[in-house]
Amino acid sequence: MDAVISHFQGRIRRATYWLLILMLVIIQVAVGWLVSPFVASLLGLPIWISAAGRRLHDFNVTAWVSAVPFGLGFALGFLKELVWGFR
């Protein structure tokens, strides 16, 4: 599984993609609940970019498109922490 997460080139099957997304959701919910959503966003970055970027290659789309949703989530999480304070 480590090679699937840390490898950023090529393509992946649909089943592998959804397994990585499930793992990402579980990690982000757990860390967001225990620590903070800001830290959860930082930990989810490599998994998201790896999975989404390689899946986007199947549609001949650049992997940089996968950074847009993460960037928005990161910014919204940061703003939430600024408004309600860091724990």
Side-chain angles (χ1 to χ4, degrees), residues 47-78:
I47 299 171
W48 172 258
I49 291 178
S50 173
R54 289 188 295 148
R55 192 67 186 149
L56 285 170
H57 286 162
D58 290 340
F59 302 107
N60 292 324
V61 176
T62 181
W64 286 102
V65 174
S66 67
V68 173
F70 178 80
L72 290 174
F74 183 79
L76 291 174
F78 185 73

mmCIF file of all heavy atoms in Angstrom, residues 47-78:
data_model
loop_
_atom_site.group_PDB
_atom_site.id
_atom_site.type_symbol
_atom_site.label_atom_id
_atom_site.label_comp_id
_atom_site.label_asym_id
_atom_site.label_seq_id
_atom_site.Cartn_x
_atom_site.Cartn_y
_atom_site.Cartn_z
ATOM 1 N N ILE A 47 -1.905 11.737 0.171
ATOM 2 C CA ILE A 47 -2.831 10.696 -0.289
ATOM 3 C C ILE A 47 -3.753 11.266 -1.359
ATOM 4 O O ILE A 47 -3.975 10.641 -2.396
ATOM 5 C CB ILE A 47 -3.649 10.133 0.884
ATOM 6 C CG1 ILE A 47 -2.713 9.497 1.917
ATOM 7 C CG2 ILE A 47 -4.656 9.107 0.387
ATOM 8 C CD1 ILE A 47 -3.403 9.112 3.200
ATOM 9 N N TRP A 48 -4.282 12.460 -1.128
ATOM 10 C CA TRP A 48 -5.206 13.058 -2.087
ATOM 11 C C TRP A 48 -4.524 13.331 -3.425
ATOM 12 O O TRP A 48 -5.041 12.977 -4.480
ATOM 13 C CB TRP A 48 -5.788 14.355 -1.526
ATOM 14 C CG TRP A 48 -6.573 15.088 -2.548
ATOM 15 C CD1 TRP A 48 -6.176 16.173 -3.254
ATOM 16 C CD2 TRP A 48 -7.861 14.746 -3.039
ATOM 17 N NE1 TRP A 48 -7.146 16.547 -4.136
ATOM 18 C CE2 TRP A 48 -8.194 15.676 -4.033
ATOM 19 C CE3 TRP A 48 -8.770 13.737 -2.728
ATOM 20 C CZ2 TRP A 48 -9.393 15.634 -4.712
ATOM 21 C CZ3 TRP A 48 -9.968 13.710 -3.417
ATOM 22 C CH2 TRP A 48 -10.271 14.642 -4.385
ATOM 23 N N ILE A 49 -3.368 13.952 -3.395
ATOM 24 C CA ILE A 49 -2.694 14.299 -4.644
ATOM 25 C C ILE A 49 -2.256 13.045 -5.391
ATOM 26 O O ILE A 49 -2.370 12.975 -6.613
ATOM 27 C CB ILE A 49 -1.513 15.252 -4.376
ATOM 28 C CG1 ILE A 49 -2.061 16.601 -3.942
ATOM 29 C CG2 ILE A 49 -0.647 15.417 -5.609
ATOM 30 C CD1 ILE A 49 -1.017 17.613 -3.596
ATOM 31 N N SER A 50 -1.795 12.045 -4.677
ATOM 32 C CA SER A 50 -1.392 10.804 -5.324
ATOM 33 C C SER A 50 -2.570 10.107 -5.985
ATOM 34 O O SER A 50 -2.514 9.740 -7.160
ATOM 35 C CB SER A 50 -0.755 9.870 -4.289
ATOM 36 O OG SER A 50 -0.498 8.615 -4.860
ATOM 37 N N ALA A 51 -3.652 9.918 -5.252
ATOM 38 C CA ALA A 51 -4.805 9.180 -5.786
ATOM 39 C C ALA A 51 -5.521 9.968 -6.881
ATOM 40 O O ALA A 51 -5.767 9.451 -7.970
ATOM 41 C CB ALA A 51 -5.779 8.854 -4.656
ATOM 42 N N ALA A 52 -5.841 11.208 -6.610
ATOM 43 C CA ALA A 52 -6.602 11.996 -7.578
ATOM 44 C C ALA A 52 -5.768 12.313 -8.817
ATOM 45 O O ALA A 52 -6.281 12.254 -9.939
ATOM 46 C CB ALA A 52 -7.101 13.278 -6.930
ATOM 47 N N GLY A 53 -4.521 12.613 -8.623
ATOM 48 C CA GLY A 53 -3.665 12.926 -9.766
ATOM 49 C C GLY A 53 -3.510 11.755 -10.714
ATOM 50 O O GLY A 53 -3.613 11.911 -11.931
ATOM 51 N N ARG A 54 -3.293 10.576 -10.170
ATOM 52 C CA ARG A 54 -3.135 9.415 -11.038
ATOM 53 C C ARG A 54 -4.456 8.990 -11.658
ATOM 54 O O ARG A 54 -4.492 8.478 -12.769
ATOM 55 C CB ARG A 54 -2.495 8.272 -10.279
ATOM 56 C CG ARG A 54 -1.027 8.602 -9.996
ATOM 57 C CD ARG A 54 -0.271 7.463 -9.432
ATOM 58 N NE ARG A 54 -0.804 7.138 -8.115
ATOM 59 C CZ ARG A 54 -0.811 5.911 -7.633
ATOM 60 N NH1 ARG A 54 -0.338 4.919 -8.336
ATOM 61 N NH2 ARG A 54 -1.291 5.677 -6.447
ATOM 62 N N ARG A 55 -5.559 9.209 -10.973
ATOM 63 C CA ARG A 55 -6.862 8.885 -11.566
ATOM 64 C C ARG A 55 -7.210 9.881 -12.674
ATOM 65 O O ARG A 55 -7.801 9.509 -13.681
ATOM 66 C CB ARG A 55 -7.938 8.885 -10.483
ATOM 67 C CG ARG A 55 -9.236 8.307 -10.918
ATOM 68 C CD ARG A 55 -9.131 6.829 -11.198
ATOM 69 N NE ARG A 55 -10.388 6.372 -11.755
ATOM 70 C CZ ARG A 55 -10.502 5.385 -12.624
ATOM 71 N NH1 ARG A 55 -9.458 4.721 -13.002
ATOM 72 N NH2 ARG A 55 -11.672 5.053 -13.095
ATOM 73 N N LEU A 56 -6.823 11.143 -12.501
ATOM 74 C CA LEU A 56 -7.065 12.143 -13.532
ATOM 75 C C LEU A 56 -6.270 11.858 -14.806
ATOM 76 O O LEU A 56 -6.674 12.259 -15.890
ATOM 77 C CB LEU A 56 -6.735 13.538 -13.012
ATOM 78 C CG LEU A 56 -7.755 14.134 -12.051
ATOM 79 C CD1 LEU A 56 -7.203 15.389 -11.414
ATOM 80 C CD2 LEU A 56 -9.056 14.415 -12.764
ATOM 81 N N HIS A 57 -5.145 11.165 -14.668
ATOM 82 C CA HIS A 57 -4.372 10.810 -15.848
ATOM 83 C C HIS A 57 -5.174 9.917 -16.795
ATOM 84 O O HIS A 57 -4.919 9.918 -18.000
ATOM 85 C CB HIS A 57 -3.080 10.107 -15.457
ATOM 86 C CG HIS A 57 -2.059 11.023 -14.883
ATOM 87 N ND1 HIS A 57 -0.994 10.558 -14.154
ATOM 88 C CD2 HIS A 57 -1.920 12.362 -14.914
ATOM 89 C CE1 HIS A 57 -0.258 11.567 -13.767
ATOM 90 N NE2 HIS A 57 -0.799 12.686 -14.216
ATOM 91 N N ASP A 58 -6.133 9.173 -16.278
ATOM 92 C CA ASP A 58 -6.984 8.343 -17.130
ATOM 93 C C ASP A 58 -7.841 9.177 -18.062
ATOM 94 O O ASP A 58 -8.275 8.706 -19.107
ATOM 95 C CB ASP A 58 -7.899 7.444 -16.286
ATOM 96 C CG ASP A 58 -7.120 6.352 -15.574
ATOM 97 O OD1 ASP A 58 -6.000 6.056 -16.001
ATOM 98 O OD2 ASP A 58 -7.647 5.810 -14.597
ATOM 99 N N PHE A 59 -8.113 10.418 -17.681
ATOM 100 C CA PHE A 59 -8.929 11.325 -18.495
ATOM 101 C C PHE A 59 -8.077 12.353 -19.240
ATOM 102 O O PHE A 59 -8.600 13.336 -19.748
ATOM 103 C CB PHE A 59 -9.941 12.057 -17.613
ATOM 104 C CG PHE A 59 -10.841 11.135 -16.860
ATOM 105 C CD1 PHE A 59 -10.695 10.948 -15.495
ATOM 106 C CD2 PHE A 59 -11.826 10.423 -17.526
ATOM 107 C CE1 PHE A 59 -11.525 10.090 -14.808
ATOM 108 C CE2 PHE A 59 -12.653 9.565 -16.839
ATOM 109 C CZ PHE A 59 -12.506 9.390 -15.480
ATOM 110 N N ASN A 60 -6.767 12.126 -19.269
ATOM 111 C CA ASN A 60 -5.814 13.032 -19.907
ATOM 112 C C ASN A 60 -5.914 14.454 -19.347
ATOM 113 O O ASN A 60 -5.880 15.434 -20.086
ATOM 114 C CB ASN A 60 -5.990 13.042 -21.424
ATOM 115 C CG ASN A 60 -5.589 11.731 -22.032
ATOM 116 O OD1 ASN A 60 -4.651 11.097 -21.567
ATOM 117 N ND2 ASN A 60 -6.300 11.306 -23.057
ATOM 118 N N VAL A 61 -6.051 14.546 -18.041
ATOM 119 C CA VAL A 61 -6.097 15.828 -17.336
ATOM 120 C C VAL A 61 -4.878 15.899 -16.431
ATOM 121 O O VAL A 61 -4.482 14.907 -15.823
ATOM 122 C CB VAL A 61 -7.396 15.955 -16.503
ATOM 123 C CG1 VAL A 61 -7.413 17.239 -15.705
ATOM 124 C CG2 VAL A 61 -8.608 15.852 -17.394
ATOM 125 N N THR A 62 -4.284 17.059 -16.317
ATOM 126 C CA THR A 62 -3.106 17.214 -15.478
ATOM 127 C C THR A 62 -3.437 16.982 -14.002
ATOM 128 O O THR A 62 -4.547 17.262 -13.546
ATOM 129 C CB THR A 62 -2.482 18.605 -15.675
ATOM 130 O OG1 THR A 62 -1.329 18.701 -14.855
ATOM 131 C CG2 THR A 62 -3.451 19.702 -15.309
ATOM 132 N N ALA A 63 -2.465 16.495 -13.268
ATOM 133 C CA ALA A 63 -2.676 16.198 -11.852
ATOM 134 C C ALA A 63 -2.810 17.449 -11.002
ATOM 135 O O ALA A 63 -3.285 17.382 -9.871
ATOM 136 C CB ALA A 63 -1.534 15.337 -11.328
ATOM 137 N N TRP A 64 -2.422 18.590 -11.519
ATOM 138 C CA TRP A 64 -2.545 19.836 -10.769
ATOM 139 C C TRP A 64 -3.997 20.184 -10.472
ATOM 140 O O TRP A 64 -4.280 20.916 -9.525
ATOM 141 C CB TRP A 64 -1.871 20.982 -11.509
ATOM 142 C CG TRP A 64 -0.382 20.911 -11.427
ATOM 143 C CD1 TRP A 64 0.467 20.474 -12.400
ATOM 144 C CD2 TRP A 64 0.433 21.244 -10.309
ATOM 145 N NE1 TRP A 64 1.767 20.525 -11.961
ATOM 146 C CE2 TRP A 64 1.763 20.993 -10.671
ATOM 147 C CE3 TRP A 64 0.166 21.726 -9.039
ATOM 148 C CZ2 TRP A 64 2.828 21.224 -9.801
ATOM 149 C CZ3 TRP A 64 1.225 21.951 -8.176
ATOM 150 C CH2 TRP A 64 2.537 21.703 -8.563
ATOM 151 N N VAL A 65 -4.919 19.668 -11.261
ATOM 152 C CA VAL A 65 -6.344 19.918 -11.018
ATOM 153 C C VAL A 65 -6.754 19.348 -9.657
ATOM 154 O O VAL A 65 -7.642 19.873 -8.997
ATOM 155 C CB VAL A 65 -7.187 19.317 -12.166
ATOM 156 C CG1 VAL A 65 -8.665 19.422 -11.890
ATOM 157 C CG2 VAL A 65 -6.838 19.999 -13.473
ATOM 158 N N SER A 66 -6.090 18.298 -9.216
ATOM 159 C CA SER A 66 -6.437 17.683 -7.934
ATOM 160 C C SER A 66 -6.102 18.572 -6.747
ATOM 161 O O SER A 66 -6.605 18.350 -5.643
ATOM 162 C CB SER A 66 -5.738 16.334 -7.780
ATOM 163 O OG SER A 66 -4.347 16.499 -7.673
ATOM 164 N N ALA A 67 -5.280 19.575 -6.931
ATOM 165 C CA ALA A 67 -4.914 20.465 -5.830
ATOM 166 C C ALA A 67 -5.993 21.500 -5.535
ATOM 167 O O ALA A 67 -6.009 22.065 -4.444
ATOM 168 C CB ALA A 67 -3.600 21.163 -6.142
ATOM 169 N N VAL A 68 -6.893 21.747 -6.474
ATOM 170 C CA VAL A 68 -7.918 22.777 -6.284
ATOM 171 C C VAL A 68 -8.856 22.445 -5.110
ATOM 172 O O VAL A 68 -9.009 23.267 -4.201
ATOM 173 C CB VAL A 68 -8.708 23.027 -7.586
ATOM 174 C CG1 VAL A 68 -9.879 23.955 -7.349
ATOM 175 C CG2 VAL A 68 -7.777 23.579 -8.648
ATOM 176 N N PRO A 69 -9.498 21.261 -5.057
ATOM 177 C CA PRO A 69 -10.373 20.976 -3.913
ATOM 178 C C PRO A 69 -9.615 20.942 -2.588
ATOM 179 O O PRO A 69 -10.119 21.402 -1.567
ATOM 180 C CB PRO A 69 -10.966 19.605 -4.215
ATOM 181 C CG PRO A 69 -10.749 19.383 -5.656
ATOM 182 C CD PRO A 69 -9.563 20.195 -6.050
ATOM 183 N N PHE A 70 -8.386 20.416 -2.611
ATOM 184 C CA PHE A 70 -7.616 20.382 -1.376
ATOM 185 C C PHE A 70 -7.284 21.790 -0.912
ATOM 186 O O PHE A 70 -7.371 22.103 0.269
ATOM 187 C CB PHE A 70 -6.325 19.578 -1.545
ATOM 188 C CG PHE A 70 -5.507 19.577 -0.297
ATOM 189 C CD1 PHE A 70 -5.821 18.736 0.740
ATOM 190 C CD2 PHE A 70 -4.460 20.458 -0.144
ATOM 191 C CE1 PHE A 70 -5.088 18.754 1.912
ATOM 192 C CE2 PHE A 70 -3.718 20.488 1.015
ATOM 193 C CZ PHE A 70 -4.034 19.629 2.050
ATOM 194 N N GLY A 71 -6.915 22.646 -1.854
ATOM 195 C CA GLY A 71 -6.590 24.025 -1.505
ATOM 196 C C GLY A 71 -7.775 24.753 -0.898
ATOM 197 O O GLY A 71 -7.630 25.498 0.073
ATOM 198 N N LEU A 72 -8.956 24.529 -1.463
ATOM 199 C CA LEU A 72 -10.158 25.147 -0.907
ATOM 200 C C LEU A 72 -10.453 24.611 0.495
ATOM 201 O O LEU A 72 -10.781 25.375 1.401
ATOM 202 C CB LEU A 72 -11.353 24.902 -1.826
ATOM 203 C CG LEU A 72 -11.328 25.643 -3.154
ATOM 204 C CD1 LEU A 72 -12.501 25.196 -4.014
ATOM 205 C CD2 LEU A 72 -11.348 27.138 -2.938
ATOM 206 N N GLY A 73 -10.341 23.303 0.673
ATOM 207 C CA GLY A 73 -10.566 22.719 1.995
ATOM 208 C C GLY A 73 -9.551 23.198 3.017
ATOM 209 O O GLY A 73 -9.879 23.467 4.173
ATOM 210 N N PHE A 74 -8.311 23.306 2.586
ATOM 211 C CA PHE A 74 -7.247 23.801 3.454
ATOM 212 C C PHE A 74 -7.535 25.232 3.890
ATOM 213 O O PHE A 74 -7.435 25.576 5.063
ATOM 214 C CB PHE A 74 -5.913 23.706 2.714
ATOM 215 C CG PHE A 74 -4.738 24.129 3.526
ATOM 216 C CD1 PHE A 74 -4.186 23.284 4.470
ATOM 217 C CD2 PHE A 74 -4.166 25.376 3.340
ATOM 218 C CE1 PHE A 74 -3.096 23.666 5.221
ATOM 219 C CE2 PHE A 74 -3.079 25.778 4.074
ATOM 220 C CZ PHE A 74 -2.542 24.921 5.017
ATOM 221 N N ALA A 75 -7.934 26.074 2.938
ATOM 222 C CA ALA A 75 -8.215 27.476 3.248
ATOM 223 C C ALA A 75 -9.423 27.606 4.169
ATOM 224 O O ALA A 75 -9.397 28.384 5.136
ATOM 225 C CB ALA A 75 -8.446 28.254 1.955
ATOM 226 N N LEU A 76 -10.479 26.839 3.900
ATOM 227 C CA LEU A 76 -11.661 26.909 4.759
ATOM 228 C C LEU A 76 -11.367 26.380 6.165
ATOM 229 O O LEU A 76 -11.845 26.946 7.152
ATOM 230 C CB LEU A 76 -12.812 26.132 4.131
ATOM 231 C CG LEU A 76 -13.398 26.752 2.865
ATOM 232 C CD1 LEU A 76 -14.436 25.818 2.264
ATOM 233 C CD2 LEU A 76 -13.980 28.111 3.144
ATOM 234 N N GLY A 77 -10.581 25.320 6.271
ATOM 235 C CA GLY A 77 -10.190 24.808 7.580
ATOM 236 C C GLY A 77 -9.351 25.808 8.356
ATOM 237 O O GLY A 77 -9.523 25.985 9.566
ATOM 238 N N PHE A 78 -8.450 26.495 7.662
ATOM 239 C CA PHE A 78 -7.623 27.506 8.305
ATOM 240 C C PHE A 78 -8.469 28.675 8.794
ATOM 241 O O PHE A 78 -8.287 29.166 9.911
ATOM 242 C CB PHE A 78 -6.541 27.984 7.339
ATOM 243 C CG PHE A 78 -5.577 28.943 7.954
ATOM 244 C CD1 PHE A 78 -4.629 28.496 8.864
ATOM 245 C CD2 PHE A 78 -5.614 30.284 7.632
ATOM 246 C CE1 PHE A 78 -3.736 29.363 9.443
ATOM 247 C CE2 PHE A 78 -4.730 31.177 8.202
ATOM 248 C CZ PHE A 78 -3.785 30.715 9.104
#
